């Protein structure tokens, strides 16, 4: 399949909600994924402009066999891209017949809007900046390697390691080939914005997971001990699942549910590359899973990251124009589903701790869902204080909401996110140690010794595998 046809296919898939741009690009089997990804992103960024030009020029009326998504890609390339330099084949000839009219319509649009540059035709949210200026966060997969080895590998490649950041200002100042350890997140390395690691040997070998900073919060705050049984209720695409497996040290069991077969297939590939063996995938609706099923009698931990509006994801604006302002009808439907999912999760009899998260900025999907679920279970569960050093807290819509976490590009250098940690209220044990107390205790000397041995064993293996992959 050629570049333009592949790009049109990805755009159609995004429109039909078959996946994200990045996911569809990487599953397209097109050889040069960077070239394809760049073309799709730029075409989508100028989507409204291209639609207007194509309609005014009457292109689809004149070329009845030309499909709309392919037309959009070709017109982008002609007017705003590389102009078919050195290629284009029959598409160059086809667009050549309409070139003068298309260019005239683009010029007329600029005059009408009172602008001179192509970029000035874009809506504010589509202009350069925003997501492109967020640092690149990279989680070290501790099932295959350790932070010290990854740092050493990048240093051998000419990168300069600056140690643990002391503040977000350190992350904002990153440039060139410098990188840091996140100030709050263990095993999370930070590189300058737009650092591309998709072809890096450590990523391809599963030693690194490219994951947004806020997206690392749910598994970290759930913090299941090694050997635990965990449910990941809406698991795909799988980054949080892989994080859970790393925390479990591949011991215990993760029951991962998702209704989308294609996303589950991609997730299985991701988990295999990451060396995960403790996860059981199921193409199943979490709401249909019975809490009384004997398989889940030892499930003490649940991660619930349900479908949401995605209003906190800068990239969602690129893939779904208008996603930042979901309609009241859509918000009501989403919040209803999220509340049902959360209340269902709280009925699992052995549950001790649950983390609820979304990539939404909307109160209706966040604080309101948590408040209503707690009100339906009076006295049984409570919001646990989470990560006091995190600067952005929940909206003060009900008592205790400050225990929730929020994230945004401005306050935490990440995508927009919401996290709540919910714990079962229990009578203190004879030792006086509650669940939430145990969550924040330091590792025992034996656990520290085991961790040290594990890191020692991975010292040479990680570099050997990564260099072999290169």
């Amino acid at each position: 399949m050629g570049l333009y046809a592949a790009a049109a296919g990805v755009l159609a898939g995004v429109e039909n909600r078959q996946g994200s741009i990045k996911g569809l690009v990487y599953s397209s089997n097109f050889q040069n994924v960077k070239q394809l990804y760049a073309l799709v992103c730029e075409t989508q960024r100028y989507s409204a402009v291209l639609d207007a030009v194509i309609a005014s020029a009457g292109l689809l009326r004149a070329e009845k066999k030309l499909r709309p998504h392919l037309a959009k890609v070709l017109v982008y390339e002609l007017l705003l891209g590389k102009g078919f330099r050195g290629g284009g084949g029959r598409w160059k000839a086809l667009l050549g017949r309409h070139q003068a009219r298309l260019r005239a319509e683009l010029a007329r649009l600029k005059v009408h809007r009172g602008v001179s540059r192509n970029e000035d035709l874009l809506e504010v949210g589509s202009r350069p900046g925003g997501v492109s200026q967020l640092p690149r966060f990279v989680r070290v997969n501790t099932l295959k390697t350790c932070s010290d080895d990854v740092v050493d590998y990048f240093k051998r490649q000419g990168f300069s390691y600056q140690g643990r950041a002391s503040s977000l200002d350190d992350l904002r100042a990153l440039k060139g080939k410098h990188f840091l350890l996140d100030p709050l997140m263990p095993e999370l390395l930070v590189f300058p914005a737009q650092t591309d690691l998709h072809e890096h040997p450590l990523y391809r070998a599963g030693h690194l997971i490219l994951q947004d900073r806020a997206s690392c919060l749910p598994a970290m705050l759930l913090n299941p001990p090694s050997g635990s049984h965990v449910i990941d209720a809406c698991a795909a695409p799988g980054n949080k699942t892989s994080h859970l497996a790393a925390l479990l040290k591949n011991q215990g069991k993760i029951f991962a549910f998702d209704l989308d077969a294609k996303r589950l297939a991609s997730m299985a590939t991701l988990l295999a590359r990451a060396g995960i063996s403790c996860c059981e995938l199921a193409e199943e609706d979490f709401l249909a899973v019975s809490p009384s099923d004997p398989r889940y009698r030892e499930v003490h931990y649940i991660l619930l990251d349900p479908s949401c509006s995605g209003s906190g994801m800068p990239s969602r604006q690129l893939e779904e124009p208008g996603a930042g302002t979901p309609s009241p009808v859509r918000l009501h439907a989403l919040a209803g589903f999220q509340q049902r999912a959360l209340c269902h999760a709280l009925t699992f009899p052995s549950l001790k701790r649950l983390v609820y998260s979304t990539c939404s900025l909307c109160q209706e999907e966040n604080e309101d869902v948590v408040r209503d679920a707690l009100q339906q279970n009076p006295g049984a569960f409570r919001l646990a204080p989470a990560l006091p050093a995190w600067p952005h807290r929940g909206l003060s819509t009900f008592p205790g909401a400050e225990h929730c976490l929020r994230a945004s590009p401005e306050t935490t250098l990440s995508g927009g996110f919401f996290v709540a940690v919910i714990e079962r209220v229990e009578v203190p044990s004879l030792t006086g140690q509650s669940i939430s107390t145990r969550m924040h205790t330091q590792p025992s000397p034996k656990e520290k010794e085991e961790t040290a041995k594990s890191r020692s064993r991975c010292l040479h293996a990680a570099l050997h595998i990564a260099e072999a992959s290169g």
Side-chain angles (χ1 to χ4, degrees):
M1 182 184 292
L3 171 64
Y4 303 124
V10 171
L11 288 173
V14 170
E15 185 175 300
N16 294 325
R17 298 184 180 274
Q18 295 172 355
S20 66
I21 288 180
K22 187 172 294 183
L24 292 170
V25 164
Y26 276 86
S27 63
S28 68
N29 296 321
F30 188 79
Q31 187 172 5
N32 191 335
V33 293
K34 290 175 66 175
Q35 182 186 28
L36 177 59
Y37 183 72
L39 177 59
V40 172
C41 286
E42 286 302 292
T43 301
Q44 187 75 325
R45 193 158 70 100
Y46 281 92
S47 180
V49 174
L50 295 168
D51 284 339
V53 170
I54 289 169
S56 299
L59 178 63
L60 296 178
R61 292 194 301 272
E63 301 290 345
K64 297 188 184 302
K65 293 184 178 180
L66 184 61
R67 307 307 299 165
H69 294 104
L70 180 57
K72 191 177 293 188
V73 173
L74 296 175
V75 173
Y76 168 81
E77 189 75 325
L78 174 69
L79 300 182
L80 307 169
K82 297 180 179 179
F84 302 113
R85 287 178 292 179
R90 65 190 179 102
W91 302 123
K92 181 179 181 180
L94 186 150
L95 265 290
R97 297 197 294 267
H98 305 276
Q99 181 174 180
R101 182 66 184 272
L102 289 165
R103 291 192 183 281
E105 292 301 333
L106 178 63
R108 186 175 290 111
L109 186 63
K110 289 180 180 178
V111 171
H112 177 70
R113 297 190 183 179
V115 301
S116 58
R117 300 185 310 160
N118 292 333
E119 279 189 358
D120 293 334
L121 291 169
L122 296 172
E123 299 294 331
V124 173
S126 300
R127 292 176 186 168
V131 64
S132 64
Q133 298 307 308
L134 294 179
R136 164 63 73 186
F137 293 98
V138 181
R139 180 169 58 79
V140 176
N141 178 14
T142 54
L143 294 179
K144 283 198 164 185
T145 186
C146 48
S147 295
D148 289 345
D149 291 348
V150 172
V151 168
D152 287 344
Y153 189 90
F154 276 105
K155 288 165 69 174
R156 288 169 53 190
Q157 289 191 317
F159 284 81
S160 176
Y161 179 55
Q162 307 294 297
R164 183 180 290 278
S166 59
S167 68
L168 292 182
D169 287 337
D170 291 343
L171 307 188
R172 292 187 180 97
L174 276 174
K175 292 181 180 178
K177 300 192 76 171
H178 294 80
F179 71 110
L180 292 157
L181 186 64
D182 187 86
L184 293 176
M185 306 282 204
E187 321 296 348
L188 190 65
L189 300 176
V190 193
F191 292 80
Q194 299 184 338
T195 301
D196 188 359
L197 297 172
H198 286 93
E199 301 300 322
H200 194 279
L202 287 180
Y203 170 74
R204 294 174 68 87
H207 293 211
L208 300 178
I209 308 293
L210 306 183
Q211 188 169 357
D212 181 70
R213 186 177 193 235
S215 178
C216 295
L217 285 170
M220 185 186 83
L221 293 174
L222 189 63
N223 195 31
S226 178
S228 300
H229 284 199
V230 182
I231 283 179
D232 191 348
C234 305
N239 279 345
K240 299 179 188 70
T241 317
S242 70
H243 196 178
L244 287 171
L247 293 170
L248 292 174
K249 301 177 184 176
N250 241 352
Q251 299 172 26
K253 176 74 74 172
I254 300 174
F255 300 98
F257 301 99
D258 205 277
L259 274 173
D260 192 316
K262 288 186 177 180
R263 281 160 58 89
L264 276 178
S266 298
M267 178 176 170
T269 301
L270 181 153
L271 298 183
R273 185 174 64 206
I276 292 165
S277 59
C278 66
C279 188
E280 181 181 301
L281 300 181
E283 184 184 341
E284 190 173 354
D285 182 357
F286 173 64
L287 287 172
V289 175
S290 172
S292 61
D293 190 316
R295 288 179 296 174
Y296 313 123
R297 64 175 176 267
E298 295 182 35
V299 169
H300 294 163
Y301 304 89
I302 294 180
L303 193 158
L304 175 61
D305 186 77
S307 298
C308 70
S309 65
S311 56
M313 296 173 63
S315 60
R316 187 69 67 89
Q317 286 294 323
L318 178 66
E319 299 186 1
E320 298 178 37
T325 54
S327 69
V329 173
R330 183 164 183 249
L331 263 183
H332 180 75
L334 285 167
F337 162 74
Q338 292 152 356
Q339 186 179 343
R340 289 194 301 275
L342 179 51
C343 289
H344 180 64
L346 295 178
T347 64
F348 280 72
S350 299
L351 178 68
K352 294 180 179 178
R353 186 184 312 130
L354 177 147
V355 166
Y356 173 81
S357 63
T358 75
C359 52
S360 169
L361 300 175
C362 302
Q363 175 186 324
E364 294 89 339
E365 299 179 88
N366 297 329
E367 289 88 356
D368 290 358
V369 169
V370 171
R371 178 201 62 206
D372 292 349
L374 291 175
Q375 287 178 351
Q376 290 185 37
N377 294 272
F381 294 94
R382 70 180 183 97
L383 269 176
L387 205 60
W390 191 259
H392 195 170
R393 316 304 296 188
L395 302 178
S396 300
T397 59
F398 65 94
E402 70 279 0
H403 294 326
C404 302
L405 306 182
R406 278 179 167 261
S408 70
E410 297 77 18
T411 60
T412 57
L413 284 183
S414 66
F417 217 78
F418 173 86
V419 186
V421 181
I422 298 174
E423 292 180 342
R424 188 180 295 277
V425 175
E426 291 188 358
V427 177
S429 67
L430 293 177
T431 61
Q433 196 175 38
S434 67
I435 295 171
S436 57
T437 303
R438 290 197 298 273
M439 179 180 175
H440 299 289
T441 54
Q442 295 296 316
S444 67
K446 183 178 179 180
E447 288 175 327
K448 288 182 178 180
E449 183 180 351
E450 289 177 353
T451 300
K453 288 180 179 178
S454 174
R455 290 187 172 183
S456 177
R457 285 194 298 269
C458 79
L459 181 60
H460 298 293
L463 296 177
H464 175 73
I465 294 174
E467 288 169 350
S469 301

